[in-house]
Every structure is written in structure tokens, then in C-alpha cells.
């Protein structure tokens, strides 16, 4: 029996220095203070109760946490049972040797955290199991005190040490879990990055290669794709754009790249606009899965024209809205040849009259030779338009009325109007 003055054999009164305690010359780190407060021999007195406490903790976990509601012979429950045993054994070991370096044993709990992550489970259930295990252990130790099997003066020290041990186990498992998840996310991103390369390869990759990598990259293969390029490079100072998980994205290179599956699908346009809001980006044309290289090439061409000011500079640019311009600027030497062939006579006219005549000619060609509509678009008097047309007739002669020449003149004038003035 234990009363206020009698202790079980081997348990000295509280305050007796334990091996490794501050007064015994060992390290005196604050985190070990609770374990150093135990009287020596207490761990041996608790060991006979360890199996019963382990069984009760496991029963409580199976009963109260749905994730663990499995048969007792389930393989994972054997792992849980072993985990509870290790946690309690580790607690007793720290009681026996309070100066034990926690860094040397926390690897066990980090491995448990990695295992939970590798199995695809949330850490919430495991953390709940830890807390439940601590409550059950605390309840059983209280029962031992009430039955005079343990001295009451050790209860406060036991509680403090127990929940310190719980916090450190939780921190270690969380660290292992986070590390594993980050590692898995890194591997997944690498696979998705390689998949972007396959989908935009020229010549195209085989359907089998795409299918195999898509499976490991956790990406559902669509019928069509569009490639978006973004004037954005990911650095420690920048914020990574948030894109839907079904998009394949790579922002670590310049320009950034996003592969959008089934871009014509319901709600997809809103998803793209929301993900790329505030960024300068170009979305290539929608193409079949094997033609991603073409969508990427057109998007890159449009991005370059945007940077030069030939296409709009801000917001999300759709290649489909600028096909004529993309075609026209595929080979700018051809533009220069058109200008040389059809617009050379304008060089004989002095500036700024030359620019006014070029503007009027382009508008006249676009308006189907309607002088009144030209006057409205240019906000000038119709008589002014007629005067300029007479001048153009003198400059170009019969060529001004040749349909083939008119078409090429319009192309050349349109291209010149798109080029920034400083490079024209």
C-alpha cells in the first residue's frame, strides 16, 4: 500500500536527482526538465502495466477514430499496435534516461509521418490517435494512483512529461509527413514538366509514351489541348500563379508554359482567364493532342509580336483572334518585299503628306473604295478624301486599279500600320 509517506520499493521521494539531471552534472536543457523530475526507478515500476495500456490505447483508437475502424488482424492495425508500443516504450526510455538526446530517436516518428504520406492518408487521423493515446495513458496512470499503486506526487510530473512527449512526437511526424509530401509533389511536378515537353514535341511523341507518362503524372488525357505561354518566370520573389489541377503548368522557365486540356469545354475560358488574371499571356490555338507543338509555336510567335507592340501588350491574348497578323509576320522579309514592290512610289512624296496618303489608301481599300465611308472613318471632309485619292492616282497610275495589286498593297500597308513607328 502507498500512503503519504510510504513508496513502492525502488521509488525515492520526488526531488531525488535522476541520473543525467542538472544536479548530477548532465545537460540541463529546459525541454528535458519534466523527465528529469522523475524519481529513479519509476519506469521499472510502470513497465508491468505497459501491455494493458497498449491494448486499451489500440482499442480506443479502433473504436473512436473511423480511419482505424479495422479488424484486429488487419495488416495496418498491426502497424498501429506496434506504433503504440514504440511510443510507450520510448516514453519509458526517456524516463529511465532523461538526458537522452531526442534528436537521436525522433527519426522513428519522422518515418511514421513519411509512411502516412506515402500511403496517401491525411495526418489528421494520426494526430487524433496520438492525442487519444495520451488521454488513455493519462487515465490509466491516474487509476494506478487512485489504487495506491503509484505515489500521488509523481502525477504532475508524469502529466507534464507525457504531453511534452506527445508534442514532440506530433512535431516529428508532421515534419516527416511534410517532407514526404513535398518530395512527392516535386516528383509529380517533374513528371508533369516532362509531359509538357512530350505534348509540345516536334515531331510529336508517340501516343503510348504520352499515355504512360500521363498516368504517372496523374493527368487525364484529353482530346484537344491549347498551349499558353506567359511572360513570367518563377523566382523567390514572385508568386506562383494558381492554376486548376487539371492544367499542366511550368513557371520556372521564361516564358512560363501551361497546357490546357479541352480548352473549348464548358467553363474552361473562365478558368483560364481567372488563373492568368493580371499576367501577360498568349493562348495558342486549340489543336489535337498530338499537335501541341503547333499551338506552342503560334503562341510564342504571338508573344514576340506582343512584346514588340504589334499585338496588344496587356492581358490574355488569343491567337485565334489574330490569325491574319500571325500569318503576315511569319516572314517579315516578305513584308519588306511587298512594300518595295507596291509602295515605293510613295517614297517620292514628302512627309507628312506621305503618311496621310498611306493612311487614306489603306482605309479606301478596306472600305471597298467608298470615299464617304473613308471620310467618316478618318474624320475628314469627303472633299479632302477625293483630293487625296486624285493624288494617289497620280502617284500609282493604273496600278491603283489593279485588283491583284490592291490586295498586296493592302497587305503591305496593314503590316506597316502594325509595326511600331520607331521601327517602321
Amino acid at each position: 500500500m502507498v500512503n503519504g509517506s510510504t513508496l513502492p520499493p525502488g521509488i525515492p521521494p520526488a526531488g531525488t536527482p535522476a541520473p543525467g539531471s542538472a544536479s548530477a552534472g548532465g545537460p540541463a536543457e529546459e525541454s528535458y526538465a519534466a523527465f528529469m523530475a522523475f524519481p529513479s526507478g519509476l519506469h521499472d515500476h510502470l513497465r508491468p502495466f505497459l501491455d494493458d495500456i497498449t491494448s486499451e490505447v489500440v482499442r480506443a483508437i479502433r473504436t473512436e477514430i473511423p480511419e482505424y475502424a479495422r479488424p484486429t488482424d488487419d495488416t495496418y492495425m498491426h502497424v498501429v499496435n506496434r506504433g503504440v508500443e514504440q511510443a510507450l516504450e520510448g516514453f519509458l526510455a526517456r524516463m529511465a534516461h532523461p538526458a537522452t538526446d531526442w534528436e537521436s530517436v525522433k527519426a522513428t516518428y519522422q518515418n511514421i509521418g513519411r509512411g502516412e504520406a506515402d500511403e496517401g492518408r491525411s495526418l489528421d487521423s494520426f494526430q487524433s490517435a496520438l492525442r487519444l493515446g495520451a488521454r488513455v495513458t493519462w487515465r490509466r496512470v491516474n487509476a494506478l494512483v487512485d489504487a495506491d499503486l503509484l505515489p500521488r506526487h509523481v502525477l504532475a510530473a508524469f502529466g507534464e512529461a507525457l504531453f511534452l512527449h506527445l508534442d514532440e512526437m506530433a512535431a516529428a511526424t508532421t515534419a516527416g509527413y511534410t517532407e514526404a509530401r513535398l518530395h512527392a509533389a516535386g516528383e509529380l511536378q517533374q513528371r508533369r514538366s516532362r509531359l509538357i515537353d512530350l505534348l509540345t514535341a516536334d515531331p510529336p511523341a508517340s501516343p503510348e509514351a504520352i499515355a504512360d507518362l500521363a498516368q504517372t503524372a496523374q493527368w487525364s488525357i484529353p482530346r484537344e489541348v491549347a498551349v499558353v505561354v506567359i511572360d513570367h518566370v518563377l523566382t523567390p520573389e514572385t508568386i506562383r500563379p494558381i492554376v486548376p489541377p487539371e492544367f499542366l503548368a511550368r513557371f520556372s522557365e521564361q516564358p512560363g508554359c501551361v497546357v490546357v486540356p479541352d480548352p473549348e469545354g464548358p467553363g474552361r475560358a473562365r478558368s483560364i482567364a481567372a488563373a492568368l488574371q493580371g499576367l501577360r499571356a498568349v493562348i495558342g490555338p486549340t489543336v489535337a493532342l498530338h499537335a501541341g507543338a503547333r499551338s506552342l509555336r503560334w503562341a510564342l510567335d504571338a508573344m514576340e509580336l506582343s512584346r514588340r507592340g504589334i499585338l496588344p501588350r496587356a492581358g490574355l491574348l488569343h491567337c485565334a483572334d489574330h490569325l491574319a497578323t500571325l500569318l503576315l509576320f511569319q516572314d517579315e522579309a516578305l513584308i519588306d518585299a511587298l512594300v518595295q514592290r507596291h509602295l515605293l512610289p510613295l517614297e517620292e512624296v514628302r512627309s507628312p503628306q506621305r503618311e496621310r496618303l498611306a493612311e487614306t489608301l489603306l482605309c479606301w481599300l478596306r472600305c471597298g473604295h467608298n470615299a464617304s465611308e473613308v471620310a467618316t472613318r478618318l474624320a475628314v471632309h469627303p472633299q479632302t478624301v477625293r483630293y487625296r485619292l486624285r493624288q494617289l492616282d497620280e502617284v500609282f497610275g493604273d496600278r491603283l486599279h489593279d485588283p491583284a495589286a490592291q490586295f498586296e498593297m493592302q497587305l503591305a500597308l496593314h503590316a506597316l500600320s502594325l509595326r511600331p513607328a520607331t521601327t517602321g
Side-chain angles (χ1 to χ4, degrees), residues 29-79:
E29 287 87 350
E30 184 178 354
S31 61
Y32 300 118
F35 285 97
M36 291 177 177
F38 285 125
S40 62
L42 181 61
H43 62 286
D44 288 329
H45 190 72
L46 286 173
R47 187 170 297 281
F49 305 101
L50 193 65
D51 289 344
D52 286 344
I53 295 175
T54 298
S55 298
E56 187 170 342
V57 168
V58 173
R59 279 197 304 273
I61 289 173
R62 289 181 59 241
T63 303
E64 299 184 31
I65 302 177
E67 177 72 16
Y68 300 99
R70 307 182 184 195
T72 54
D73 59 351
D74 182 87
T75 301
Y76 185 62
M77 289 312 299
H78 287 297
V79 174

Side-chain angles (χ1 to χ4, degrees), residues 152-177:
R152 186 165 297 279
H153 69 259
V154 304
L155 194 57
F158 187 91
E160 182 177 354
L162 177 65
F163 290 102
L164 170 65
H165 189 62
L166 170 69
D167 288 344
E168 291 178 338
M169 283 194 300
T173 52
T174 299
Y177 184 88

Side-chain angles (χ1 to χ4, degrees), residues 122-145:
S122 166
L123 202 56
D124 293 342
S125 295
F126 184 80
Q127 300 285 30
S128 296
L130 284 180
R131 292 190 293 271
L132 180 57
R135 291 200 305 271
V136 171
T137 303
W138 175 247
R139 186 167 63 239
R140 283 299 304 266
V141 170
N142 269 276
L144 293 176
V145 171

Side-chain angles (χ1 to χ4, degrees), residues 38 46 68 73 84 87-89 99 111 148 154 182 192 198 205 241 250 258 262 264 286 300 311 322 336-337 353:
F38 285 125
L46 286 173
Y68 300 99
D73 59 351
V84 173
L88 292 172
E89 287 281 1
N111 287 335
D148 288 340
V154 304
L182 289 174
R192 288 182 158 228
L198 279 190
R250 181 170 59 205
V258 177
D262 293 324
E264 309 298 328
T286 297
L300 289 172
L311 290 178
H322 303 278
D336 295 335
Q353 181 66 8

Side-chain angles (χ1 to χ4, degrees), residues 172-253:
T173 52
T174 299
Y177 184 88
T178 302
E179 177 189 334
R181 289 293 298 269
L182 289 174
H183 180 72
E187 287 190 342
L188 182 63
Q189 180 56 36
Q190 288 179 2
R191 295 189 193 107
R192 288 182 158 228
S193 182
R194 291 198 298 272
L195 185 54
I196 291 175
D197 292 335
L198 279 190
L199 292 170
T200 57
D202 189 11
S206 69
E208 293 78 14
I210 292 174
D212 289 345
L213 188 52
Q215 182 176 9
T216 62
Q218 300 176 21
W219 191 67
S220 299
I221 296 179
R223 294 182 58 187
E224 297 178 317
V225 295
V227 180
V228 180
V229 294
I230 304 165
D231 227 358
H232 175 94
V233 61
L234 192 63
T235 69
E237 292 76 29
T238 58
I239 298 176
R240 178 188 176 94
I242 299 176
V243 300
E246 65 269 23
F247 290 10
L248 298 175
R250 181 170 59 205
F251 299 109
S252 57
E253 300 176 5

